[in-house]
Amino acid sequence: MRAKSTTLVLLALLVAGCAGTNQSGQPQAGDTRFVAGDGKMQVFGVADRQAAPAIGGETLDGATASLAAHKGKVVVLNFWASWCGPCRAEAPVLKEVAAKTKGGVEFLGVDFKDRKADAQAFERTEQTGYPSIFDQPGKVALAFQGTVPPAAIPSTLIIDAQGKIAARALGAVKYTDLMNAVTKVRDE
């Protein structure tokens, strides 16, 4: 029963994040409380980073994807949904940064609590150029409980080459913030 309650609370907070009002500041690593995002990237010091959980699943195109498949590489993990306005607004930013950092950085989307047909239509329209795990039940997001959770939709995590969470943005990311954080983590 406790797991179901925890799941419902986290899902409610993530859904609320898409429509939340902006606040200044970002939560610290390990803070699992909801904070409406402003899209600013918080980069964690190497000594303060926590290991990313082993996540994976079926992608929207029927293949499979996982963090383990990108071991030794920097991965940008973006939690999104087709029903989320800020997710639509940030999609071109993610697409552009993914294209400019291709080869040194991998991008992986996580489509959260969505209808598969709507998510596939979103991907066809945006043509992101990277796969997205279809996470209708929210299991991928829940795997981050106890580490650095994606506490809003959209949320973006940067996983360093050692498999640790190096940065997080809650809310729609801005081009400069994402590019600077990705470049910093990639060049470590």
Side-chain angles (χ1 to χ4, degrees):
M1 183 67 178
R2 185 177 192 290
K4 187 175 183 179
S5 296
T6 302
T7 300
L8 292 174
V9 169
L10 181 59
L11 294 178
L13 294 176
L14 286 168
V15 170
C18 190
T21 58
N22 285 342
Q23 293 178 333
S24 62
Q26 292 280 2
Q28 297 300 308
D31 185 352
T32 59
R33 294 172 296 165
F34 170 76
V35 175
D38 60 8
K40 291 200 170 120
M41 189 65 66
Q42 179 183 15
V43 178
F44 304 111
V46 174
D48 298 325
R49 296 178 186 172
Q50 298 179 40
I55 58 107
E58 185 176 335
T59 62
L60 288 168
D61 65 2
T64 58
S66 68
L67 279 180
H70 303 292
K71 187 176 180 177
K73 294 186 176 184
V74 172
V75 179
V76 175
L77 191 61
N78 178 256
F79 292 80
W80 64 275
S82 65
W83 45 260
C84 170
C87 299
R88 291 182 176 278
E90 78 172 354
V93 168
L94 291 160
K95 180 180 177 178
E96 186 173 351
V97 174
K100 287 187 176 180
T101 60
K102 193 170 188 154
V105 176
E106 301 291 330
F107 275 64
L108 180 60
V110 178
D111 177 43
F112 175 82
K113 299 301 274 180
D114 212 345
R115 289 184 359 177
K116 193 169 196 175
D118 293 342
Q120 289 169 326
F122 178 92
E123 277 206 333
R124 278 191 304 275
T125 300
E126 297 301 330
Q127 299 181 1
T128 60
Y130 55 86
S132 285
I133 295 171
F134 181 61
D135 187 32
Q136 204 291 323
K139 290 181 180 179
V140 174
L142 285 174
F144 283 87
Q145 255 188 332
T147 62
V148 181
I153 294 294
S155 284
T156 302
L157 301 176
I158 300 175
I159 313 301
D160 67 19
Q162 289 72 43
K164 295 186 175 185
I165 304 165
R168 172 175 70 175
L170 302 176
V173 294
K174 294 165 186 63
Y175 175 84
T176 302
D177 291 342
L178 182 59
M179 182 61 94
N180 288 345
V182 166
T183 302
K184 177 181 170 113
V185 173
R186 181 195 64 200
D187 293 348
E188 291 178 334

